[in-house]
Amino acid sequence: MLSSTLLFVLGSLAVFYPIDAKWRFAPYVEREDVLWRQHDPGDVNEYRIPIIGPTADGHLVAISEARKLGGGDSGNKFLAMLRSDDGVQWSSATKFIFSDLSDVTDGMNLGEMLTDMETGSMFIIYSHCAHACNVSTTYIIRSDDNGLSWKNAVNVTNVICNVTKTFDPGPGLGLQLKHHPRHKGRLIFCGHGGVGSEIVACIYSNDHGETWKGGMALPGIPFHSDEGRGLFEPNELQMIELKDGRVLFTIRNEKDYNDAGPIFASSDDGCETISMMSIRFPQGLPDPVCAAGMLYHEEHDGLLLHSNAYSTRQRINMTVSWSYDEGQTWNNSDHLQVWPGPSAYSCLTAIPGKPNYVGLLYENGIYFRYERITYALINLQPTWEED
């Protein structure tokens, strides 16, 4: 029989936390910092592909492509990095942790970043010559000191080539599984490639990045066809893990199949396979064919956040949207306009030690969408209320 004390405690919980109460959010941008501008630092022509994520020791690391001479996807590049101790201040100077050779015509392309929270190791995956070569080369670099130094690149092209000959990872964050019943701790990188129509593909590691295996593939339909608009052609992506262990993707809808918006799909076996039956097209997330960001915030009852250029026609209007049901529905009133003007790629991150905040790193400008890369500190402003 339950004691009177225990009954009192349970009764008190029922009073203050009713079963139909839920977290609700009213996010706002608390502060913004421009991390990179064209030509500064390093006399770089243009900074592209914003990626941001936590280290195992509680810092944030931001990386980007520093395009040396021009703004195109091919050409010479540095890999630029900044660190933040608290997710608020960015006081350190930009560090260039990788540089193409000066005479390459189709250099490095980011890419994804991933932290193994079990070992503390960090990984960055990038491709080389994904536009001018029949077979691109894919590399992974690794840091065992929270991004302070990086080891020589490891070539993992042979793992990719069993699915696609060219490959561009991400762009965004890789994933370490925390909830999957069979694959807890698995590291996953995904990207897109192919000739003609695109194909989304993944690789994974079960030994903390020592070895990598080829995983799922989601091809365009019809495969190896590039005949115009309206085809099913998955492209750049971001992935998160839901609390039941499924991996959910938001995928760039390159040919506007079905509508102008992202493709959602999921894998339930740790990205070894993916079912066409999992594909859906969420309503309430307009998109102008551009890479998006996504974050699953477990500390707030499974809040799912999505960032993109919130427009059907132009890369403008950087917006963060949120869903209370793991992305099944997106209410048009549940979004935050971060920047109304030109904007493009973005990446969302949780901030260690700050559960009521998230960070957004995104491309934007006043006249041109790639003028700068800006970090927005977003206060979720959660409230606990009854339906």
Side-chain angles (χ1 to χ4, degrees):
M1 179 178 292
L2 292 175
S3 70
S4 58
T5 301
L6 181 56
L7 287 171
F8 174 79
V9 171
L10 291 174
S12 299
L13 289 174
V15 170
F16 292 106
Y17 299 96
I19 196 168
D20 58 353
K22 293 183 178 179
W23 285 111
R24 297 296 176 189
F25 303 88
Y28 65 93
V29 177
E30 188 164 302
R31 64 174 288 162
E32 286 195 303
D33 295 276
V34 176
L35 301 194
W36 292 292
R37 300 179 190 271
Q38 283 183 299
H39 311 300
D40 180 30
D43 197 28
V44 170
N45 182 274
E46 194 169 276
Y47 287 86
R48 288 290 322 272
I49 320 300
I51 299 175
I52 187 169
T55 64
D57 64 348
H59 301 289
L60 283 184
V61 167
I63 59 174
S64 67
E65 283 182 18
R67 300 184 173 185
K68 299 178 184 179
L69 303 176
D73 290 340
S74 58
N76 314 122
K77 303 180 184 74
F78 298 108
L79 184 59
M81 184 182 76
L82 278 169
R83 290 168 56 87
S84 172
D85 293 336
D86 58 4
V88 180
Q89 303 287 340
W90 296 85
S91 57
S92 63
T94 293
K95 182 178 181 180
F96 296 109
I97 62 175
F98 172 84
S99 177
D100 284 333
L101 299 175
S102 60
D103 59 349
V104 298
T105 57
D106 191 10
M108 176 267 297
N109 286 108
L110 276 178
E112 288 175 313
M113 180 171 65
L114 168 63
T115 297
D116 185 333
M117 290 298 180
E118 296 181 8
T119 66
S121 295
M122 298 182 68
F123 302 86
I124 295 174
I125 187 171
Y126 62 90
S127 64
H128 189 272
C129 199
H131 307 91
C133 297
N134 290 328
V135 178
S136 62
T137 309
T138 304
Y139 296 100
I140 295 176
I141 57 175
R142 174 176 181 159
S143 172
D144 293 322
D145 55 9
N146 297 295
L148 295 176
S149 63
W150 294 85
K151 297 180 179 180
N152 291 336
V154 175
N155 189 329
V156 294
T157 307
N158 63 324
V159 179
I160 300 296
C161 279
N162 64 354
V163 177
T164 180
K165 291 185 177 181
T166 63
F167 187 70
D168 277 312
L173 289 175
L175 184 64
Q176 182 175 38
L177 297 182
K178 296 189 295 184
H179 304 296
H180 198 282
R182 300 188 307 279
H183 304 306
K184 186 176 182 296
R186 171 175 288 182
L187 308 180
I188 303 171
F189 282 129
C190 298
H192 68 100
V195 179
S197 67
E198 294 288 314
I199 183 171
V200 164
C202 298
I203 64 173
Y204 62 89
S205 173
N206 293 328
D207 55 10
H208 302 288
E210 296 299 324
T211 60
W212 295 86
K213 297 179 180 180
M216 54 162 265
L218 178 65
I221 300 175
F223 191 49
H224 287 328
S225 176
D226 193 15
E227 297 177 354
R229 309 309 295 176
L231 299 179
F232 178 76
E233 187 167 305
N235 196 271
E236 297 167 320
L237 56 86
Q238 177 62 72
M239 56 186 165
I240 53 92
E241 183 188 16
L242 299 173
K243 57 189 174 185
D244 63 0
R246 282 178 298 141
V247 176
L248 177 67
F249 298 89
T250 179
I251 305 171
R252 173 171 165 167
N253 189 353
E254 186 66 18
K255 296 296 177 64
D256 284 332
Y257 180 82
N258 195 54
D259 204 351
I263 301 166
F264 273 26
S266 60
S267 170
D268 60 8
D269 61 3
C271 294
E272 294 178 21
T273 64
I274 190 167
S275 170
M276 298 296 285
M277 297 297 292
S278 73
I279 295 171
R280 53 191 175 87
F281 300 89
Q283 300 300 305
L285 289 178
D287 190 88
V289 185
C290 188
M294 190 160 61
L295 173 67
Y296 190 60
H297 208 304
E298 297 185 36
E299 295 192 59
H300 285 300
D301 198 27
L303 174 70
L304 184 64
L305 299 160
H306 191 275
S307 62
N308 72 323
Y310 198 82
S311 168
T312 58
R313 296 182 180 275
Q314 302 180 63
R315 291 186 175 183
I316 59 172
N317 194 26
M318 178 54 57
T319 297
V320 174
S321 307
W322 56 96
S323 170
Y324 295 105
D325 57 8
E326 299 185 338
Q328 295 295 322
T329 58
W330 299 87
N331 190 324
N332 287 335
S333 64
D334 289 336
H335 62 260
L336 167 68
Q337 185 186 68
V338 178
W339 177 255
S343 45
Y345 287 28
S346 61
C347 186
L348 284 160
T349 183
I351 302 176
K354 290 182 169 58
N356 291 338
Y357 289 83
V358 296
L360 172 71
L361 193 64
Y362 70 104
E363 300 171 334
N364 70 100
I366 298 174
Y367 304 105
F368 180 55
R369 54 186 173 263
Y370 308 134
E371 290 175 22
R372 60 200 183 196
I373 292 179
T374 300
Y375 173 74
L377 178 67
I378 298 175
N379 190 327
L380 295 175
Q381 196 168 290
T383 58
W384 185 257
E385 61 183 37
E386 295 184 41
D387 282 347

